[in-house]
Amino acid sequence: MHDSKFRKNKLLFLLPYLNEKQKRIAAAVEARALGYGGVSEVSKITGLSRTTLHQAIKELKNPKTRREMEKARVRVSGGGRKKILAQHPSLLKKLKSLVEPATRGDPVSPLLWTSKSTRHLSEVLSKKGRPVGHQVVARALQEMNYSLQVNSK
């Protein structure tokens, strides 16, 4: 018990100071040191997926991969695709105009809800110009403090 608490504290203090690659390798080293069940335990502690840890352990075993990793660049912050709502702020306005007629709730309460389905809303928004998935619509509604409610029978 003491050893596992020590290991957890060590990882939680160390990982914020490491870049993505270093975190993966440090976690893989700890998982290997633990032996059977180490990947699962380190995954729970760090939040890294078990698949990522297994891949990092494979990288540790392969010297060619290690040499390539030394030369490889580390991902720059801010990289990657921007969220669709950040790219097209007009989508949020269109969504708000679609949802407002079906909005329910106490105006004083911070929580509002709509009975329209996210799939229906995404279809309407897609027909208006920009293809949008239902999960994006659900996330946008959640950011606007909406709750989805089904019709009660």
Side-chain angles (χ1 to χ4, degrees), residues 18-49:
L18 305 177
N19 66 36
E20 182 181 336
K21 187 189 317 181
Q22 292 167 339
K23 284 180 186 180
R24 188 175 67 242
I25 297 302
V29 167
E30 289 297 325
R32 276 184 71 184
L34 284 171
Y36 183 79
V39 170
S40 294
E41 186 173 334
V42 170
S43 175
K44 287 176 193 171
I45 292 170
T46 62
L48 294 171
S49 76

Side-chain angles (χ1 to χ4, degrees), residues 61-94:
K61 291 178 182 176
N62 186 351
K64 182 180 176 186
T65 308
R66 273 191 275 163
R67 280 191 299 265
E68 289 172 4
M69 283 177 54
E70 289 171 1
K71 295 176 186 174
R73 69 178 182 85
V74 176
R75 195 178 304 170
V76 178
S77 65
R81 185 172 23 169
K82 305 294 179 240
K83 298 201 180 282
I84 193 163
L85 293 171
Q87 289 177 355
H88 306 283
S90 63
L91 280 175
L92 203 54
K93 292 175 188 171
K94 289 178 186 176

Side-chain angles (χ1 to χ4, degrees), residues 88-107:
H88 306 283
S90 63
L91 280 175
L92 203 54
K93 292 175 188 171
K94 289 178 186 176
L95 178 63
K96 202 170 207 165
S97 70
L98 286 173
V99 172
E100 279 190 356
T103 297
R104 305 286 182 260
D106 184 9

Side-chain angles (χ1 to χ4, degrees), residues 24 27-28 31-32 37-40 43 48-61:
R24 188 175 67 242
R32 276 184 71 184
V39 170
S40 294
S43 175
L48 294 171
S49 76
R50 293 176 67 239
T51 308
T52 300
L53 291 172
H54 282 294
Q55 187 63 38
I57 290 171
K58 281 183 188 175
E59 290 172 359
L60 286 174
K61 291 178 182 176

Side-chain angles (χ1 to χ4, degrees), residues 95 118 133-144 146 148:
L95 178 63
T118 56
H134 67 94
Q135 292 175 326
V136 172
V137 171
R139 210 173 309 119
L141 287 173
Q142 194 173 27
E143 287 175 12
M144 295 178 349
Y146 273 86
L148 297 173

